[in-house]
């Protein structure tokens, strides 16, 4: 895969539509032709009422779901017609995921959970990766928690581990679906600040779905999704001096 | 794909360890099934080996005899007093195997042959005072004969050492004649040929017919008693592979134009019985195998549902559908391997216990536990493969699971 030009979008959507229950009486189009382009290092919030299609859109961006119509480009390359292996590889190498319910594997330690995307890609463990995972843990303030299993961590701690996992491959784009939706205000702020910090340190782009308008306002760009359409796309609001 | 499957194996092992009670239950279930299979197989094959061993303990693998005499209808009336009006089957008289010395030498040169023993045998009467018994004389070369029927191991008195004027007889005959080692008996053969012999030893082969009738002498005195000078009535052979006996006999028939009979022919009924017994144990194996497979499949199917969310996470973090599938196949394999290992130990333990309980000092053990190594390896291999196959459908379900649906619900 050739490296994309610095200013070419890490992600582009062309007229993406999503219909559910196709052919049934309950057929419903939840995304009505979304066009969107996200540049390298952008820090983007997606807001909108519940049921407006944010998660659906994010799953399509994350190649977990296929659009009924339209096309998704990752690093300038169309993802249409790719095999499961190729899609999985793109997910593992070019994308990071953070979910609302942190979703760690309870059978594995924090350190193992963070390395999982690399293990899947390489098929083996690697001391460099492990050191990198340990460094990431340290950078989120969980230096001594590497050998703990998720059940021995608080919600905020688990979410920080999940963020480390999303970043282990240094993906150009991280997708976060309500990463703070399940946390108290203090933990929310910690997690958000962390995302911001990694955005600056590693230069990876973020798309963060959130209900919290206060947090959204701190982002570089805010997209408002209503009824499966982009109603508003504001830039430059939260850029700090 | 990395063939060592480190990542997939790691996930499989940790998933199994996490679902501890569930994993343990299914491993024990597999173990129980394998234990039954190992127990039944070990016992049956032990019994069968034992039976064959007993049968062959008093028998050659292949026996060469003189061809039966065919009836010749004489055409020239000048040669006979009365012309034949009807053709009757001819009464068989004792005849020697043609050219038997050369045959023995040729057989000894065969790589498959482990022992060759020429025997001259025929009917006679044994007399001691008023007692009078019909017997079978066996003229043998003791050293050669002992390699085929180890009579020396079954002596109850004296020694297995027939000489020109000493005989070895069975314990039933000894009782009937009322004789002991050192006593003398009179043997009467064909054409009023007779001789007096001292009892050198008494054997008990455990087969009543033989213990009642067999009288062992060297070859020469029997040739004299039966009026078969220089001849032998059969050449007995043992070979290295007992189940090759029939094809070896066929081979000898063609090459030496002799009448060769294998133990498999003479014991056809026994072999048929053993074969149908083997078939029924195969059936048991198949059914136990199927229920083990269903057990593994259903537990893994439950586990796939339980791990929906984690499967979704794995897919979101770059695992391919094939990797997810492999994780569950490996789980099936591990369950099969561990279960069959425990089951084999249990099965062999049961066999040992069974053998120990049924052990009698005068009998050989029914089953040699060391012979179970091959059986255990086979059972483990089979169970592991069964486990992987049983895991196929649950694993495919896991691989096809929609990651979005898996992540969405909480
Ligand atoms: N698998 C599905 N089948 C049918 N309808 C769905 C499915 N997933 C989502 N929807 C519908 O799509 C719409 C958008 O859902 P979602 O993307 O989850 O919205 P948001 O994340 O903005 O709350 C909702 O009306 C929801 O009911
Ligand atoms: Mg949502």
């Amino acid at each position: 895969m050739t490296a994309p030009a610095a200013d070419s979008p890490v992600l582009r959507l062309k007229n993406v539509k999503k219909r559910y229950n196709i052919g049934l009486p309950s057929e419903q189009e939840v995304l009505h032709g979304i066009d969107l382009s996200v540049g390298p290092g952008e820090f983007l919030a997606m807001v909108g009422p519940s049921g407006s299609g944010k998660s659906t859109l994010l799953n399509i961006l994350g190649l977990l779901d296929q659009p009924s119509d339209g096309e998704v480009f990752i690093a300038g390359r169309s993802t249409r017609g790719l095999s499961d292996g190729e899609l999985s590889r793109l997910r593992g190498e070019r994308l990071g995921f953070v979910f609302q319910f942190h979703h760690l594997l309870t059978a594995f330690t924090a350190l193992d959970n963070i390395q999982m995307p690399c293990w899947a890609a390489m098929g083996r463990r690697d001391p460099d990766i492990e050191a990198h995972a340990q460094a990431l843990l340290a950078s989120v303030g969980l230096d001594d928690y590497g050998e703990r299993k998720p059940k021995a961590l608080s919600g905020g701690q688990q979410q920080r581990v999940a963020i480390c996992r999303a970043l282990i491959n240094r993906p150009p784009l991280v997708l976060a679906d309500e990463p703070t939706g399940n946390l108290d205000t203090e933990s929310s702020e910690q997690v958000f600040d962390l995302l911001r910090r990694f955005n600056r340190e590693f230069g990876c782009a973020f798309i963060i779905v959130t209900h919290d308008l206060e947090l959204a306002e701190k982002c570089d760009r805010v997209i408002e999704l209503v009824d499966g359409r982009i109603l508003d796309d504001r830039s430059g609001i939260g850029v700090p001096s | 794909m990395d063939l060592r499957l480190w990542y997939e194996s790691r996930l499989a092992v940790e998933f199994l360890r996490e679902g501890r009670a569930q994993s343990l239950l299914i491993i024990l279930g597999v173990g129980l099934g394998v234990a039954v299979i190992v127990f039944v197989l070990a016992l049956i094959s032990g019994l069968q080996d034992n039976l064959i061993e007993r049968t062959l303990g008093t028998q050659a693998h292949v026996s060469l005899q003189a061809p039966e005499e065919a009836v010749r209808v004489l055409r020239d009336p000048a040669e006979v007093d009365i012309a034949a009006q009807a053709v009757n089957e001819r009464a068989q008289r004792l005849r020697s195997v043609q050219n038997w010395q050369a045959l023995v030498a040729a057989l000894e040169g065969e790589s498959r042959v482990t022992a060759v023993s020429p025997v001259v045998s025929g009917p006679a009467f044994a007399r001691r005072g008023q007692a009078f018994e019909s017997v079978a004389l066996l003229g043998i070369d003791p050293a050669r004969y002992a390699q085929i029927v180890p009579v020396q191991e079954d002596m109850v008195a004296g020694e297995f050492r027939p000489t020109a004027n000493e005989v070895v007889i069975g314990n039933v005959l000894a009782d009937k004649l009322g004789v002991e080692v050192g006593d003398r008996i009179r043997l009467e053969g064909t054409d009023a040929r007779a001789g007096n012999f001292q009892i050198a030893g008494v054997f008990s082969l455990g087969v009543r017919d033989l213990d009642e009738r067999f009288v062992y002498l060297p070859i020469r005195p029997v040739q004299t008693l039966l009026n078969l000078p220089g001849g032998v009535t059969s050449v007995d052979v043992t070979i290295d592979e007992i189940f090759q006996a029939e094809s070896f006999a066929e081979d000898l028939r063609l090459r030496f134009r002799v009448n060769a009979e294998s133990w498999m022919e003479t014991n056809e009924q026994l072999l048929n019985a053993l074969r149908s017994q083997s078939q029924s144990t195969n059936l048991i194996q198949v059914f136990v195998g199927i229920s083990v497979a269903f057990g593994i499949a259903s537990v893994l199917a439950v586990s796939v549902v339980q791990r929906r969310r984690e499967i979704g996470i794995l897919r979101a973090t770059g695992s391919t559908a094939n990797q997810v599938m492999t994780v569950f196949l490996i789980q099936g394999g591990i369950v099969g391997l561990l279960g069959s290992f425990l089951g084999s130990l249990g099965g062999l333990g049961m066999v040992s216990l069974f053998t120990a309980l049924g052990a009698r000092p005068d009998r050989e053990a029914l089953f040699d536990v060391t012979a179970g190594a091959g059986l255990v390896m086979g059972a483990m291999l089979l169970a592991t493969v069964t486990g992987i196959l049983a895991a196929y459908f649950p694993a495919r379900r896991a691989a096809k699971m929609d990651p979005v649906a898996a992540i969405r619900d909480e």
Side-chain angles (χ1 to χ4, degrees), chain A residues 84 91 97 103 106 112 120, chain B residues 10 18 309 313 315-316 321 323:
Chain A
D84 172 75
R91 274 201 295 272
F97 285 90
H103 287 336
T106 51
D112 285 348
Chain B
R10 180 87 204 277
E18 195 182 26
R309 218 175 55 135
I313 302 170
R315 302 284 280 120
Q323 282 175 321

Side-chain angles (χ1 to χ4, degrees), chain B residues 111-123:
Chain B
S111 59
R112 291 196 269 173
V113 170
T114 52
V116 183
S117 165
V119 176
V120 51
S121 68

Side-chain angles (χ1 to χ4, degrees), chain A residues 20 55-56 59 64-65 84-85 88-89 91-92 95 97 99 101-108 112 116-117 119-125 149 151 165, chain B residues 2 4-8 10-11 14-15 17-18 307 309-323 402-404 406-410:
Chain A
Y20 283 116
S55 294
T56 303
N59 289 332
L64 286 172
D65 203 356
D84 172 75
S88 302
R89 223 184 108 173
R91 274 201 295 272
L95 297 167
F97 285 90
F99 307 98
F101 304 103
H102 29 78
H103 287 336
L104 297 173
L105 296 189
T106 51
F108 289 85
D112 285 348
M116 210 63 83
W119 290 352
M122 302 193 301
R124 60 182 168 82
R125 72 183 332 150
K149 297 212 169 155
K151 277 178 186 145
R165 179 179 64 192
Chain B
D2 189 339
R4 285 167 304 167
L5 301 175
W6 175 82
Y7 171 62
E8 293 86 341
R10 180 87 204 277
L11 283 167
E14 294 302 335
F15 280 178
R17 276 175 47 174
E18 195 182 26
R307 298 205 177 272
R309 218 175 55 135
E310 302 185 270
I311 291 166
I313 302 170
L314 289 174
R315 302 284 280 120
T317 54
S319 295
T320 64
N322 279 335
Q323 282 175 321
D402 178 10
V404 175
I407 291 165
R408 200 181 277 272
D409 53 50
E410 170 71 8

Side-chain angles (χ1 to χ4, degrees), chain A residues 18-21 26 28-31 46-59 65 177-178 209 211 225, chain B residues 402 404-405 408:
Chain A
K18 183 68 181 179
R19 280 184 291 273
Y20 283 116
N21 306 331
S26 55
Q28 175 195 18
E29 187 169 281
V30 299
L31 296 175
M46 195 189 301
V47 295
S50 183
S52 57
K54 304 184 294 297
S55 294
T56 303
L57 184 58
L58 209 68
N59 289 332
D65 203 356
D177 195 351
E178 306 196 29
V209 172
H211 279 302
L225 200 66
Chain B
D402 178 10
V404 175
R408 200 181 277 272

Side-chain angles (χ1 to χ4, degrees), chain A residues 49-93:
Chain A
S50 183
S52 57
K54 304 184 294 297
S55 294
T56 303
L57 184 58
L58 209 68
N59 289 332
I60 289 173
L61 301 182
L63 308 179
L64 286 172
D65 203 356
Q66 279 74 48
S68 314
D69 214 340
E71 220 170 337
V72 179
F73 297 85
I74 299 279
R77 237 183 93 196
S78 170
T79 58
R80 201 204 301 253
L82 293 185
S83 71
D84 172 75
E86 290 166 321
L87 288 174
S88 302
R89 223 184 108 173
L90 275 180
R91 274 201 295 272
E93 289 176 356

Side-chain angles (χ1 to χ4, degrees), chain A:
Chain A
M1 196 179 293
T2 51
D7 55 344
S8 81
V10 289
L11 172 93
R12 192 158 68 83
L13 296 188
K14 205 175 94 186
N15 191 32
V16 163
K17 294 183 182 169
K18 183 68 181 179
R19 280 184 291 273
Y20 283 116
N21 306 331
I22 293 171
L24 300 176
S26 55
E27 179 170 336
Q28 175 195 18
E29 187 169 281
V30 299
L31 296 175
H32 313 285
I34 304 281
D35 292 293
L36 177 70
S37 185
V38 178
E42 265 196 271
F43 199 68
L44 187 153
M46 195 189 301
V47 295
S50 183
S52 57
K54 304 184 294 297
S55 294
T56 303
L57 184 58
L58 209 68
N59 289 332
I60 289 173
L61 301 182
L63 308 179
L64 286 172
D65 203 356
Q66 279 74 48
S68 314
D69 214 340
E71 220 170 337
V72 179
F73 297 85
I74 299 279
R77 237 183 93 196
S78 170
T79 58
R80 201 204 301 253
L82 293 185
S83 71
D84 172 75
E86 290 166 321
L87 288 174
S88 302
R89 223 184 108 173
L90 275 180
R91 274 201 295 272
E93 289 176 356
R94 307 208 61 91
L95 297 167
F97 285 90
V98 182
F99 307 98
Q100 176 173 0
F101 304 103
H102 29 78
H103 287 336
L104 297 173
L105 296 189
T106 51
F108 289 85
T109 63
L111 210 51
D112 285 348
N113 265 288
I114 295 172
Q115 296 175 80
M116 210 63 83
C118 299
W119 290 352
M122 302 193 301
R124 60 182 168 82
R125 72 183 332 150
D126 184 298
D128 292 341
I129 299 292
E130 186 161 345
H132 180 38
Q134 185 60 54
L136 276 172
L137 258 184
S139 74
V140 301
L142 294 175
D143 215 345
D144 300 329
Y145 293 73
E147 293 308 318
R148 288 211 190 175
K149 297 212 169 155
K151 277 178 186 145
L153 298 172
S154 73
Q157 289 170 332
Q158 290 184 49
Q159 196 58 301
R160 281 184 269 165
V161 172
I163 291 168
C164 293
R165 179 179 64 192
L167 290 161
I168 185 76
N169 272 332
R170 296 181 186 258
L173 176 63
V174 176
L175 307 171
D177 195 351
E178 306 196 29
T180 62
N182 220 24
L183 302 177
D184 58 51
T185 320
E186 199 191 320
S187 299
S188 290
E189 258 163 33
Q190 274 183 7
V191 163
F192 187 84
D193 291 345
L194 211 55
L195 297 179
R196 190 43 143 169
R197 212 181 84 213
F198 282 128
N199 165 248
R200 297 227 162 94
E201 274 177 27
F202 300 150
C204 41
F206 278 78
I207 300 179
I208 304 162
V209 172
T210 181
H211 279 302
D212 191 331
L213 293 179
E214 229 174 280
L215 290 184
E217 292 306 320
K218 292 197 216 164
C219 294
D220 303 342
R221 180 176 166 193
V222 180
I223 289 174
E224 194 177 348
L225 200 66
V226 176
D227 280 343
R229 287 198 178 79
I230 292 178
L231 197 75
D232 196 8
D233 187 345
R234 289 165 286 151
S235 295
I237 295 159
V239 183
S241 49

